[in-house]
Amino acid sequence: MMDHLEIFKALSNKTRLEILNWLKEPEASFPEQDFFDHGVCVGQIQQKAGLTQSTISEYLSILQRAGLVTSTRVGQWTYYQRNEEAFKALSQVIQSEI
Amino acid sequence: MMDHLEIFKALSNKTRLEILNWLKEPEASFPEQDFFDHGVCVGQIQQKAGLTQSTISEYLSILQRAGLVTSTRVGQWTYYQRNEEAFKALSQVIQSEI
DNA sequence: TCAACATATCGACTTTTCCCGATATGTCTA
DNA sequence: TAGACATATCGGGAAAAGTCGATATGTTGA
């Protein structure tokens, strides 16, 4: 069950919207990174966003709690990627429930 | 042009989400009111929400600035109704742009 | 196993949002 | 045109979110 309020709060921040947008095309947005099987790692996102590591880590967990991204730990890196199902569902919710 | 951030901020409040939901079916949600040609008036919404008049007035203008509702002044009353086009557009935006 | 590195968490400070009461503005009617 | 009523605006105190630096945790490779 989606918590609409939590999702909208997660989307109510310029940087978080940018991150979600970057994650739409990881290869184009993060040319530094080599492999994208599990998304993009925190450090890359942090560098591009220009905020501190702690802030970006916090933002990613807000997006994750809202269900908008998923994370995969690979070695010492954590990769984040969009959860496209969540966006489809949200799009539906806006048409039918909100 | 939609300002996504402003829209998501407007949707990031429980009471404002409730108001939008009530306005989906004004007749069912506001049995006190007689005519719904232009939506529901502020006083009815305020009463149902249980917050102060000033707060509800403010919330309605937040929703209006985001483009989610429109208002019509009729005599001393201001009626608010949903802007369904905005919701359709938002639904599209979530699928394509966010 | 230890040093280096990536990420997460904590504590603090600043900015924004929530929500109120008081007051101003606009409209109607006697 | 004054009084009553509906709504909007203003100013402020409390709560939440934004953002940082410092530190903790987890992982890897020498």
mmCIF file of all heavy atoms in Angstrom, chain A residues 8 11 90-91 94-95 98, chain B residues 2-4 7-8 11 68 84-98:
data_model
loop_
_atom_site.group_PDB
_atom_site.id
_atom_site.type_symbol
_atom_site.label_atom_id
_atom_site.label_comp_id
_atom_site.label_asym_id
_atom_site.label_seq_id
_atom_site.Cartn_x
_atom_site.Cartn_y
_atom_site.Cartn_z
ATOM 1 N N PHE A 8 4.725 12.186 -1.752
ATOM 2 C CA PHE A 8 4.721 13.593 -2.156
ATOM 3 C C PHE A 8 5.768 14.388 -1.382
ATOM 4 O O PHE A 8 6.400 15.279 -1.937
ATOM 5 C CB PHE A 8 3.336 14.207 -1.991
ATOM 6 C CG PHE A 8 2.331 13.655 -2.965
ATOM 7 C CD1 PHE A 8 1.089 13.203 -2.523
ATOM 8 C CD2 PHE A 8 2.621 13.581 -4.314
ATOM 9 C CE1 PHE A 8 0.169 12.684 -3.415
ATOM 10 C CE2 PHE A 8 1.710 13.057 -5.209
ATOM 11 C CZ PHE A 8 0.471 12.605 -4.760
ATOM 12 N N LEU A 11 9.038 13.881 -2.927
ATOM 13 C CA LEU A 11 9.152 14.595 -4.208
ATOM 14 C C LEU A 11 9.201 16.115 -4.040
ATOM 15 O O LEU A 11 9.352 16.847 -5.009
ATOM 16 C CB LEU A 11 7.980 14.216 -5.125
ATOM 17 C CG LEU A 11 7.932 12.760 -5.593
ATOM 18 C CD1 LEU A 11 6.629 12.472 -6.329
ATOM 19 C CD2 LEU A 11 9.124 12.427 -6.488
ATOM 20 N N LEU A 90 2.053 5.509 -9.024
ATOM 21 C CA LEU A 90 1.738 6.867 -8.597
ATOM 22 C C LEU A 90 0.922 7.595 -9.656
ATOM 23 O O LEU A 90 -0.047 8.300 -9.353
ATOM 24 C CB LEU A 90 3.028 7.636 -8.305
ATOM 25 C CG LEU A 90 2.849 9.064 -7.828
ATOM 26 C CD1 LEU A 90 2.048 9.130 -6.541
ATOM 27 C CD2 LEU A 90 4.209 9.749 -7.647
ATOM 28 N N SER A 91 1.322 7.396 -10.891
ATOM 29 C CA SER A 91 0.587 8.012 -11.992
ATOM 30 C C SER A 91 -0.879 7.578 -11.977
ATOM 31 O O SER A 91 -1.796 8.389 -12.157
ATOM 32 C CB SER A 91 1.257 7.633 -13.308
ATOM 33 O OG SER A 91 0.534 8.129 -14.397
ATOM 34 N N ILE A 94 -2.844 9.146 -9.003
ATOM 35 C CA ILE A 94 -3.230 10.532 -9.215
ATOM 36 C C ILE A 94 -4.485 10.621 -10.073
ATOM 37 O O ILE A 94 -5.312 11.507 -9.901
ATOM 38 C CB ILE A 94 -2.067 11.311 -9.844
ATOM 39 C CG1 ILE A 94 -1.033 11.590 -8.745
ATOM 40 C CG2 ILE A 94 -2.542 12.612 -10.466
ATOM 41 C CD1 ILE A 94 0.275 12.053 -9.234
ATOM 42 N N GLN A 95 -4.637 9.677 -10.970
ATOM 43 C CA GLN A 95 -5.844 9.688 -11.797
ATOM 44 C C GLN A 95 -7.069 9.194 -11.056
ATOM 45 O O GLN A 95 -8.191 9.590 -11.358
ATOM 46 C CB GLN A 95 -5.626 8.835 -13.045
ATOM 47 C CG GLN A 95 -4.727 9.477 -14.065
ATOM 48 C CD GLN A 95 -4.692 8.670 -15.345
ATOM 49 O OE1 GLN A 95 -5.422 8.914 -16.279
ATOM 50 N NE2 GLN A 95 -3.831 7.654 -15.334
ATOM 51 N N ILE A 98 -6.399 10.492 -5.819
ATOM 52 C CA ILE A 98 -6.092 11.778 -5.182
ATOM 53 C C ILE A 98 -7.217 12.794 -5.421
ATOM 54 O O ILE A 98 -7.747 12.902 -6.496
ATOM 55 C CB ILE A 98 -4.751 12.350 -5.709
ATOM 56 C CG1 ILE A 98 -3.619 11.378 -5.394
ATOM 57 C CG2 ILE A 98 -4.449 13.703 -5.087
ATOM 58 C CD1 ILE A 98 -3.400 11.187 -3.918
ATOM 59 N N MET B 2 3.876 23.753 -15.802
ATOM 60 C CA MET B 2 3.673 23.290 -14.433
ATOM 61 C C MET B 2 4.967 23.419 -13.627
ATOM 62 O O MET B 2 6.030 23.030 -14.091
ATOM 63 C CB MET B 2 3.284 21.814 -14.412
ATOM 64 C CG MET B 2 2.048 21.447 -15.182
ATOM 65 S SD MET B 2 1.737 19.665 -15.067
ATOM 66 C CE MET B 2 0.797 19.566 -13.534
ATOM 67 N N ASP B 3 4.840 23.882 -12.434
ATOM 68 C CA ASP B 3 5.966 23.861 -11.514
ATOM 69 C C ASP B 3 5.809 22.635 -10.622
ATOM 70 O O ASP B 3 5.072 22.632 -9.653
ATOM 71 C CB ASP B 3 5.973 25.142 -10.675
ATOM 72 C CG ASP B 3 7.141 25.174 -9.713
ATOM 73 O OD1 ASP B 3 7.757 24.121 -9.476
ATOM 74 O OD2 ASP B 3 7.433 26.268 -9.204
ATOM 75 N N HIS B 4 6.528 21.586 -11.013
ATOM 76 C CA HIS B 4 6.338 20.309 -10.325
ATOM 77 C C HIS B 4 6.569 20.425 -8.828
ATOM 78 O O HIS B 4 5.828 19.890 -8.036
ATOM 79 C CB HIS B 4 7.295 19.264 -10.899
ATOM 80 C CG HIS B 4 7.217 19.152 -12.378
ATOM 81 N ND1 HIS B 4 8.251 18.761 -13.169
ATOM 82 C CD2 HIS B 4 6.197 19.390 -13.218
ATOM 83 C CE1 HIS B 4 7.887 18.759 -14.430
ATOM 84 N NE2 HIS B 4 6.643 19.140 -14.484
ATOM 85 N N ILE B 7 3.730 21.885 -7.000
ATOM 86 C CA ILE B 7 2.605 20.943 -6.943
ATOM 87 C C ILE B 7 2.840 19.889 -5.868
ATOM 88 O O ILE B 7 1.964 19.608 -5.052
ATOM 89 C CB ILE B 7 2.397 20.269 -8.310
ATOM 90 C CG1 ILE B 7 1.901 21.306 -9.327
ATOM 91 C CG2 ILE B 7 1.413 19.114 -8.194
ATOM 92 C CD1 ILE B 7 1.780 20.778 -10.728
ATOM 93 N N PHE B 8 4.043 19.313 -5.852
ATOM 94 C CA PHE B 8 4.308 18.269 -4.860
ATOM 95 C C PHE B 8 4.269 18.835 -3.444
ATOM 96 O O PHE B 8 3.804 18.168 -2.521
ATOM 97 C CB PHE B 8 5.645 17.588 -5.143
ATOM 98 C CG PHE B 8 5.635 16.760 -6.394
ATOM 99 C CD1 PHE B 8 6.635 16.886 -7.335
ATOM 100 C CD2 PHE B 8 4.599 15.866 -6.639
ATOM 101 C CE1 PHE B 8 6.619 16.128 -8.502
ATOM 102 C CE2 PHE B 8 4.574 15.109 -7.804
ATOM 103 C CZ PHE B 8 5.599 15.245 -8.736
ATOM 104 N N LEU B 11 0.802 19.055 -2.345
ATOM 105 C CA LEU B 11 0.233 17.732 -2.051
ATOM 106 C C LEU B 11 0.847 17.090 -0.799
ATOM 107 O O LEU B 11 0.431 16.017 -0.389
ATOM 108 C CB LEU B 11 0.435 16.795 -3.254
ATOM 109 C CG LEU B 11 -0.326 17.176 -4.528
ATOM 110 C CD1 LEU B 11 0.106 16.295 -5.689
ATOM 111 C CD2 LEU B 11 -1.840 17.072 -4.332
ATOM 112 N N LEU B 68 -4.104 23.259 -8.771
ATOM 113 C CA LEU B 68 -4.893 22.048 -8.533
ATOM 114 C C LEU B 68 -6.375 22.342 -8.327
ATOM 115 O O LEU B 68 -7.205 21.453 -8.473
ATOM 116 C CB LEU B 68 -4.331 21.292 -7.325
ATOM 117 C CG LEU B 68 -2.891 20.796 -7.501
ATOM 118 C CD1 LEU B 68 -2.321 20.278 -6.187
ATOM 119 C CD2 LEU B 68 -2.822 19.707 -8.572
ATOM 120 N N GLU B 84 -9.467 19.374 -12.890
ATOM 121 C CA GLU B 84 -9.154 17.996 -13.293
ATOM 122 C C GLU B 84 -8.066 17.946 -14.354
ATOM 123 O O GLU B 84 -7.281 16.991 -14.410
ATOM 124 C CB GLU B 84 -10.411 17.275 -13.774
ATOM 125 C CG GLU B 84 -11.469 17.043 -12.693
ATOM 126 C CD GLU B 84 -11.006 16.143 -11.531
ATOM 127 O OE1 GLU B 84 -9.930 15.509 -11.649
ATOM 128 O OE2 GLU B 84 -11.705 16.095 -10.499
ATOM 129 N N GLU B 85 -8.007 18.972 -15.176
ATOM 130 C CA GLU B 85 -6.952 19.017 -16.188
ATOM 131 C C GLU B 85 -5.568 18.953 -15.543
ATOM 132 O O GLU B 85 -4.661 18.303 -16.054
ATOM 133 C CB GLU B 85 -7.060 20.294 -17.025
ATOM 134 C CG GLU B 85 -8.306 20.352 -17.900
ATOM 135 C CD GLU B 85 -8.437 19.106 -18.775
ATOM 136 O OE1 GLU B 85 -7.441 18.719 -19.412
ATOM 137 O OE2 GLU B 85 -9.535 18.505 -18.774
ATOM 138 N N ALA B 86 -5.434 19.640 -14.427
ATOM 139 C CA ALA B 86 -4.133 19.651 -13.746
ATOM 140 C C ALA B 86 -3.754 18.252 -13.269
ATOM 141 O O ALA B 86 -2.586 17.867 -13.327
ATOM 142 C CB ALA B 86 -4.169 20.613 -12.572
ATOM 143 N N PHE B 87 -4.741 17.502 -12.808
ATOM 144 C CA PHE B 87 -4.440 16.148 -12.338
ATOM 145 C C PHE B 87 -4.071 15.237 -13.502
ATOM 146 O O PHE B 87 -3.152 14.419 -13.389
ATOM 147 C CB PHE B 87 -5.624 15.582 -11.544
ATOM 148 C CG PHE B 87 -5.777 16.242 -10.209
ATOM 149 C CD1 PHE B 87 -6.578 17.363 -10.059
ATOM 150 C CD2 PHE B 87 -5.101 15.764 -9.106
ATOM 151 C CE1 PHE B 87 -6.698 17.993 -8.831
ATOM 152 C CE2 PHE B 87 -5.213 16.382 -7.873
ATOM 153 C CZ PHE B 87 -6.012 17.501 -7.740
ATOM 154 N N LYS B 88 -4.778 15.391 -14.607
ATOM 155 C CA LYS B 88 -4.402 14.600 -15.798
ATOM 156 C C LYS B 88 -2.976 14.926 -16.209
ATOM 157 O O LYS B 88 -2.168 14.043 -16.478
ATOM 158 C CB LYS B 88 -5.362 14.896 -16.960
ATOM 159 C CG LYS B 88 -6.753 14.311 -16.794
ATOM 160 C CD LYS B 88 -7.535 14.393 -18.101
ATOM 161 C CE LYS B 88 -9.030 14.146 -17.893
ATOM 162 N NZ LYS B 88 -9.849 15.359 -18.028
ATOM 163 N N ALA B 89 -2.690 16.229 -16.247
ATOM 164 C CA ALA B 89 -1.351 16.648 -16.659
ATOM 165 C C ALA B 89 -0.292 16.109 -15.706
ATOM 166 O O ALA B 89 0.766 15.640 -16.133
ATOM 167 C CB ALA B 89 -1.283 18.173 -16.735
ATOM 168 N N LEU B 90 -0.588 16.159 -14.424
ATOM 169 C CA LEU B 90 0.373 15.674 -13.437
ATOM 170 C C LEU B 90 0.625 14.179 -13.609
ATOM 171 O O LEU B 90 1.764 13.710 -13.548
ATOM 172 C CB LEU B 90 -0.126 15.971 -12.026
ATOM 173 C CG LEU B 90 0.796 15.531 -10.893
ATOM 174 C CD1 LEU B 90 2.148 16.211 -10.981
ATOM 175 C CD2 LEU B 90 0.156 15.812 -9.536
ATOM 176 N N SER B 91 -0.442 13.458 -13.852
ATOM 177 C CA SER B 91 -0.326 12.024 -14.070
ATOM 178 C C SER B 91 0.613 11.741 -15.252
ATOM 179 O O SER B 91 1.463 10.846 -15.195
ATOM 180 C CB SER B 91 -1.711 11.446 -14.316
ATOM 181 O OG SER B 91 -1.641 10.087 -14.636
ATOM 182 N N GLN B 92 0.463 12.519 -16.311
ATOM 183 C CA GLN B 92 1.337 12.390 -17.475
ATOM 184 C C GLN B 92 2.781 12.723 -17.141
ATOM 185 O O GLN B 92 3.709 12.022 -17.542
ATOM 186 C CB GLN B 92 0.872 13.346 -18.591
ATOM 187 C CG GLN B 92 -0.491 13.052 -19.142
ATOM 188 C CD GLN B 92 -0.504 11.766 -19.952
ATOM 189 O OE1 GLN B 92 -0.922 10.707 -19.460
ATOM 190 N NE2 GLN B 92 -0.017 11.840 -21.187
ATOM 191 N N VAL B 93 2.939 13.822 -16.416
ATOM 192 C CA VAL B 93 4.271 14.279 -16.058
ATOM 193 C C VAL B 93 5.030 13.207 -15.289
ATOM 194 O O VAL B 93 6.222 12.999 -15.504
ATOM 195 C CB VAL B 93 4.176 15.573 -15.224
ATOM 196 C CG1 VAL B 93 5.436 15.786 -14.395
ATOM 197 C CG2 VAL B 93 3.928 16.776 -16.130
ATOM 198 N N ILE B 94 4.324 12.529 -14.410
ATOM 199 C CA ILE B 94 4.981 11.508 -13.603
ATOM 200 C C ILE B 94 5.447 10.341 -14.472
ATOM 201 O O ILE B 94 6.469 9.725 -14.210
ATOM 202 C CB ILE B 94 4.043 11.043 -12.486
ATOM 203 C CG1 ILE B 94 4.020 12.136 -11.416
ATOM 204 C CG2 ILE B 94 4.499 9.726 -11.895
ATOM 205 C CD1 ILE B 94 2.947 11.987 -10.410
ATOM 206 N N GLN B 95 4.695 10.086 -15.519
ATOM 207 C CA GLN B 95 5.111 9.001 -16.409
ATOM 208 C C GLN B 95 6.262 9.395 -17.327
ATOM 209 O O GLN B 95 7.052 8.552 -17.745
ATOM 210 C CB GLN B 95 3.923 8.556 -17.265
ATOM 211 C CG GLN B 95 2.908 7.756 -16.508
ATOM 212 C CD GLN B 95 1.857 7.190 -17.431
ATOM 213 O OE1 GLN B 95 1.967 6.080 -17.938
ATOM 214 N NE2 GLN B 95 0.822 7.980 -17.668
ATOM 215 N N SER B 96 6.348 10.673 -17.643
ATOM 216 C CA SER B 96 7.306 11.052 -18.682
ATOM 217 C C SER B 96 8.469 11.917 -18.215
ATOM 218 O O SER B 96 9.552 11.844 -18.777
ATOM 219 C CB SER B 96 6.575 11.782 -19.812
ATOM 220 O OG SER B 96 5.890 12.916 -19.294
ATOM 221 N N GLU B 97 8.244 12.747 -17.199
ATOM 222 C CA GLU B 97 9.270 13.742 -16.895
ATOM 223 C C GLU B 97 9.977 13.567 -15.561
ATOM 224 O O GLU B 97 11.121 13.993 -15.405
ATOM 225 C CB GLU B 97 8.670 15.154 -16.918
ATOM 226 C CG GLU B 97 8.302 15.655 -18.301
ATOM 227 C CD GLU B 97 7.744 17.061 -18.213
ATOM 228 O OE1 GLU B 97 8.386 17.910 -17.573
ATOM 229 O OE2 GLU B 97 6.644 17.293 -18.769
ATOM 230 N N ILE B 98 9.278 13.032 -14.610
ATOM 231 C CA ILE B 98 9.885 12.970 -13.270
ATOM 232 C C ILE B 98 10.933 11.867 -13.184
ATOM 233 O O ILE B 98 10.738 10.794 -13.687
ATOM 234 C CB ILE B 98 8.797 12.754 -12.186
ATOM 235 C CG1 ILE B 98 7.810 13.900 -12.218
ATOM 236 C CG2 ILE B 98 9.411 12.637 -10.815
ATOM 237 C CD1 ILE B 98 8.408 15.225 -11.867
#
